[in-house]
Amino acid sequence: MERGAEHGEKLSEECSTISAARGLGHDTTRGDRYVAELGAEQRAKHSTPIDTEFGLQPGKYTERPGAYSEKSGSILWLSGWSMPSAVFHDVRRKLPEFRHFYADYGSAESPEAITESARRLALSLRAGEPHGDPSSEPHERAAPAPPPLLIAGWSLGGLVALRLASEGLAAGLVLFGATARFVRQPAEQQSGWAPASVKAMIPALRQDPDRVLQQFRRQMFTKEERRDGLGANLPEASGWSVPGLIAGLELLAAEDVRDVLPDIRCPVLLIHGTHDKICPYGAALEILAGVPQAVLVEAAGCGHVPFLQKERQTAETIRSWWNDLSERQNPAPV
């Protein structure tokens, strides 16, 4: 076995079996106790009630609109490390009232290039400039006046989305399995990964990227989700170059937006799996406590991909949250 591949194998084993000792993930027993103890007060203070179908309380916004509404606006989708934007396809399809765009940073050659590509697109959308999503339907073309811009980020994309929101580039954020700081010291093991583990993935990628990606994908799911074959619903192709994967790891190792969380004044919807091993649940609680207008939807028992095979519930949750905000900000005349 090649050295890099061997290291990747060990990394995968560490993530799943000795996370408590090395701080590499979410130990289910300790993590549940941590969530119960640390999260109770925060959830009571900030979170929105959820129903049994994973979403906000049922309301008048559950009916799916049939076409784009300028009132709804646009969504800029930012995917996670090693994942193509196609992972959001089914969620986007169930939100036809929005225009959909995505930032493609899988070939970026530096961490700065990843953030800058998303920043440029967000700026152009806010300015009302036409900017293409190759999958856009005719009704999704840019309107003359810029509509509200939501940024939806998953994992690495969530970290970038938080940075952009702190710069005032979003009218709202939707975050899946997100974190404000991915690498953590041992004392913070319930909120992230050890720096050495992320660093070790870089030479392993150069040796055998396919094996590293397979191992990483495995860690996205709980044991029950793997048993049910949930991973088969992810897009097969990554679409990321090896330099892009390395740039993404470097961004995850370096970026820290915890200090700017109070600067994020737009509403934020957090959807986070309670058994997430990539961005543990403690990371969601940290964002919840730091952002003034954040609400949390717990995806009970889910791993790192809480929207997968829950696209309808996810879309309805986003719709209900955003429409309720819009109505409160712009109430209909009596």
Side-chain angles (χ1 to χ4, degrees), residues 216-233:
F216 182 78
R217 286 188 173 210
R218 179 176 174 82
Q219 295 304 315
M220 290 184 179
F221 302 102
T222 67
K223 179 179 178 181
E224 292 74 22
E225 289 172 336
R226 291 197 296 269
R227 180 196 62 204
D228 294 340
L230 195 63
N233 296 287

Side-chain angles (χ1 to χ4, degrees), residues 148-178:
L149 175 63
L150 294 178
I151 301 180
W154 171 39
S155 196
L156 177 147
L159 190 54
V160 174
L162 286 165
R163 173 64 68 186
L164 299 185
S166 74
E167 300 170 3
L169 297 182
L173 289 186
V174 178
L175 303 178
F176 307 98

Side-chain angles (χ1 to χ4, degrees), residues 168-240:
L169 297 182
L173 289 186
V174 178
L175 303 178
F176 307 98
T179 178
R181 174 65 168 165
F182 185 68
V183 296
R184 304 289 179 133
Q185 297 305 316
E188 300 176 294
Q189 64 182 4
Q190 295 298 342
S191 297
W193 283 30
S197 299
V198 178
K199 184 178 179 180
M201 291 176 70
I202 294 177
L205 275 170
R206 294 192 176 110
Q207 290 289 327
D208 193 344
D210 289 340
R211 180 178 288 262
V212 174
L213 294 181
Q214 289 171 5
Q215 292 164 350
F216 182 78
R217 286 188 173 210
R218 179 176 174 82
Q219 295 304 315
M220 290 184 179
F221 302 102
T222 67
K223 179 179 178 181
E224 292 74 22
E225 289 172 336
R226 291 197 296 269
R227 180 196 62 204
D228 294 340
L230 195 63
N233 296 287
L234 287 174
E236 291 186 10
S238 162
W240 287 54

Side-chain angles (χ1 to χ4, degrees), residues 17-187:
T17 61
I18 58 172
S19 61
R22 291 287 303 278
L24 301 182
H26 182 85
D27 175 74
T28 301
T29 304
R30 293 187 60 190
D32 288 345
R33 184 169 64 250
Y34 172 83
V35 167
E37 294 174 355
L38 178 61
E41 181 179 350
Q42 293 178 359
R43 293 200 305 275
K45 183 177 179 182
H46 297 284
S47 64
T48 297
I50 59 175
D51 63 20
T52 56
E53 278 206 303
F54 162 55
L56 303 183
Q57 285 287 6
K60 55 188 174 183
Y61 304 116
T62 55
E63 184 177 353
R64 177 182 170 186
Y68 166 64
S69 165
E70 191 168 321
K71 179 181 176 182
S72 296
S74 303
I75 303 180
L76 171 58
W77 297 87
L78 306 179
S79 191
W81 183 78
S82 80
M83 285 288 110
S85 65
V87 74
F88 296 123
H89 173 74
D90 288 340
V91 179
R92 294 197 307 245
R93 190 168 54 84
K94 295 181 185 303
L95 291 167
E97 68 268 37
F98 293 90
R99 292 180 303 137
H100 298 281
F101 304 87
Y102 65 89
D104 183 2
Y105 35 68
S107 298
E109 296 188 355
S110 70
E112 296 77 16
I114 292 175
T115 303
E116 187 56 29
S117 67
R119 181 182 289 115
R120 285 197 305 267
L121 185 48
L123 285 167
S124 68
L125 290 172
R126 280 173 54 86
E129 298 173 8
H131 217 301
D133 174 346
S135 66
S136 294
E137 298 296 332
H139 68 263
E140 295 176 325
R141 293 170 184 162
L149 175 63
L150 294 178
I151 301 180
W154 171 39
S155 196
L156 177 147
L159 190 54
V160 174
L162 286 165
R163 173 64 68 186
L164 299 185
S166 74
E167 300 170 3
L169 297 182
L173 289 186
V174 178
L175 303 178
F176 307 98
T179 178
R181 174 65 168 165
F182 185 68
V183 296
R184 304 289 179 133
Q185 297 305 316

